[in-house]
Amino acid sequence: MTKIIGLTGGIGSGKTTVAKMFMANGIPVYIADEEAKKIMDSKEIILQIENVFGAEVVSNKKIDRVKLSKIVFNNPEKLEQLNKIVHPAVQKHFKDWLKNHTTVPFVIKEAAILFETGGHKHCDKVITVVAPQLLRIERVILRDKSDKDSVLHRINNQWSDEKKILLSDFVIENVDLEKTTKQVDDILKVLNKI
C-alpha cells in the first residue's frame, strides 16, 4: 500500500522548493495548488464558481483569478464557499492520480492548506516547511510582486507554524538551501524505512 506523505507550509516557506527536492530524488509529488488551478479551468467548476460568485468573476470563459481573489481573501465565508467547490474536485483528482502510483512505497502530497482543510488526516506522515516570517514576506513580494500588507493578510489567514508543527512528523527549516537539502535527505532515509 502506497503511503501518503503530506507536505505543507505557510506562504513563502518554500514548500515548492522542498517538493522539487523530493522530485529530484525520484519521488512522485502531487502539487495540489497547481492541480487546483487546472481544475478551476474546467467547465464544470467554472459554472459552479459563477453560480456562487456571479458572472463578473468569469471572463473569456475562464475564472478571473484577480477578481475572485479580491472577493475571497477578505471574506472567510466566501473563501470557505470557494474551498467547498474546489477541494472535493482536487481530492477526487488526487485519488485518481494515486491509482497510477501504486508500485512506489510513498508519494508526497504538497498542499498549502493541508491542515486547514483536514487533509492531514488522510496522510500517513506530515512534513511542515517553516521559515522566518520576514524571509517569507520577502520571498512572496519578489515572487508575486505583491505588497507587505497583502502578504501578511495571507499569512494571517493560514494556520501558524507553531500549530502546524504540533501535528507534524517532520519539520524542515528552509532558510539555507544546503541545509534544506540535507534535511530532505535525512527525511528520505526515515521514509524509505516505513
Side-chain angles (χ1 to χ4, degrees):
M1 182 83 176
T2 303
K3 299 250 188 305
I4 300 167
I5 312 301
L7 174 65
T8 193
I11 184 167
S13 62
K15 65 191 167 301
T16 305
T17 300
V18 171
K20 287 176 182 167
M21 289 177 180
F22 281 107
M23 280 180 196
N25 280 283
I27 309 300
V29 178
Y30 182 91
I31 299 184
D33 287 357
E34 281 181 17
E35 298 305 333
K37 283 176 187 162
K38 292 177 200 166
I39 287 165
M40 281 175 71
D41 288 335
S42 71
K43 283 181 186 172
E44 182 191 339
I45 299 296
I46 290 171
L47 197 61
Q48 286 181 52
I49 290 172
E50 187 177 12
N51 287 339
V52 173
F53 296 97
E56 67 271 11
V57 298
V58 179
S59 110
N60 297 325
K61 297 182 181 172
K62 285 205 181 287
I63 297 296
D64 184 326
R65 296 187 198 288
V66 174
K67 282 183 183 170
L68 186 61
S69 291
K70 282 181 181 162
I71 294 169
V72 300
F73 282 116
N74 293 317
N75 187 326
E77 283 173 27
K78 295 282 185 194
L79 182 60
E80 197 175 319
Q81 284 178 305
L82 178 64
N83 286 341
K84 280 184 177 162
I85 296 168
V86 179
H87 286 292
V90 174
Q91 267 307 107
K92 184 187 179 308
H93 186 267
F94 174 70
K95 282 181 182 165
D96 292 341
W97 178 86
L98 196 56
K99 288 174 191 167
N100 297 320
H101 296 88
T102 53
T103 57
V104 294
F106 62 91
V107 297
I108 302 280
K109 181 184 184 184
E110 188 256 36
I113 52 174
L114 186 74
F115 289 114
E116 291 87 337
T117 59
H120 64 291
K121 294 172 188 162
H122 307 287
C123 297
D124 296 285
K125 299 278 181 201
V126 175
I127 303 164
T128 293
V129 182
V130 298
Q133 189 166 316
L134 278 174
L135 180 58
R136 291 170 59 191
I137 293 166
E138 274 175 33
R139 287 172 177 168
V140 180
I141 289 171
L142 274 172
R143 184 189 72 195
D144 298 351
K145 312 281 180 267
S146 53
D147 60 277
K148 186 179 177 180
D149 287 343
S150 63
V151 178
L152 272 170
H153 183 73
R154 288 165 74 184
I155 285 173
N156 293 331
N157 268 336
Q158 295 180 336
W159 279 25
S160 70
D161 285 349
E162 292 75 21
K163 198 172 174 183
K164 289 175 187 167
I165 288 167
L166 287 173
L167 295 168
S168 300
D169 300 282
F170 306 96
V171 177
I172 293 176
E173 192 175 349
N174 182 30
V175 176
D176 172 90
L177 273 181
E178 206 175 301
K179 287 179 183 169
T180 301
T181 305
K182 186 182 180 323
Q183 291 173 83
V184 168
D185 291 344
D186 289 346
I187 290 170
L188 276 169
K189 284 173 192 159
V190 176
L191 293 178
N192 282 320
K193 290 175 187 166
I194 63 168

